[in-house]
Amino acid sequence: YGLRPIELDDAGLVGAIRQRLAGLPASEPGEIKVEMELPDQLPALSPAVELAAYRIASEAINNALTHSAGHRCLVAITVNGTLAVTVRDDGRPPRSWTPGVGLRSILERAEELGGTAAAGPTGDGWEVTARLPLDGLAASDRD
């Protein structure tokens, strides 16, 4: 799982994702354009939740940039009882696909914290969603 990125300590989750996206090369015509819907502030997050959310978003962004034939990718973070990370693109799914190591790591990261994740084709592209408990504890550990 690697070390904690310094960007998280310096800028927090939203700032680290903004830095990650700012570091991408400018899209050329025909390439995927990445857009953000990120809040200005988030509630205090545990280091585990923050790291998992960052890694999930990074992997999903990487998948969109590497595998999508789409033109638009949206990275969104919302908070409504849980921290939701969504990365969706408008690329057409192939006739068949199987989740690889990256998608399995997304699912594992969410489940380790008592959250959920799903990834795969939708009616109009691809979507990765993860919902993480704000405190980063599995339900059985909260009592």
Side-chain angles (χ1 to χ4, degrees):
Y1 282 70
L3 299 174
R4 181 176 171 87
I6 192 89
E7 299 87 358
L8 284 175
D9 291 331
D10 290 346
L13 177 60
V14 170
I17 291 174
R18 287 185 195 281
Q19 287 180 18
R20 163 89 167 86
L21 295 176
L24 297 175
S27 61
E28 299 291 327
E31 291 183 350
I32 195 164
K33 179 182 177 186
V34 181
E35 299 171 355
M36 300 178 277
E37 288 183 4
L38 306 176
D40 290 331
Q41 291 188 343
L42 291 172
L45 301 172
S46 73
V49 169
E50 198 172 52
L51 178 59
Y54 179 78
R55 295 283 191 213
I56 288 168
S58 294
E59 181 61 34
I61 292 164
N62 186 56
N63 283 346
L65 295 175
T66 304
H67 302 296
S68 176
H71 300 290
R72 181 176 179 261
C73 174
L74 175 66
V75 179
I77 293 182
T78 57
V79 177
N80 187 9
T82 62
L83 179 73
V85 177
T86 303
V87 177
R88 88 174 50 97
D89 68 69
D90 62 356
R92 281 185 286 161
R95 294 182 196 269
S96 66
W97 73 280
T98 56
V101 172
L103 291 180
R104 284 193 298 273
S105 74
I106 287 171
L107 300 175
E108 289 172 3
R109 286 181 194 280
E111 289 171 358
E112 285 175 352
L113 296 174
T116 60
T122 66
D124 57 356
W126 291 89
E127 183 173 83
V128 173
T129 58
R131 293 199 176 282
L132 305 173
L134 295 175
D135 60 4
L137 299 174
S140 62
D141 294 338
R142 292 185 191 147
D143 298 326

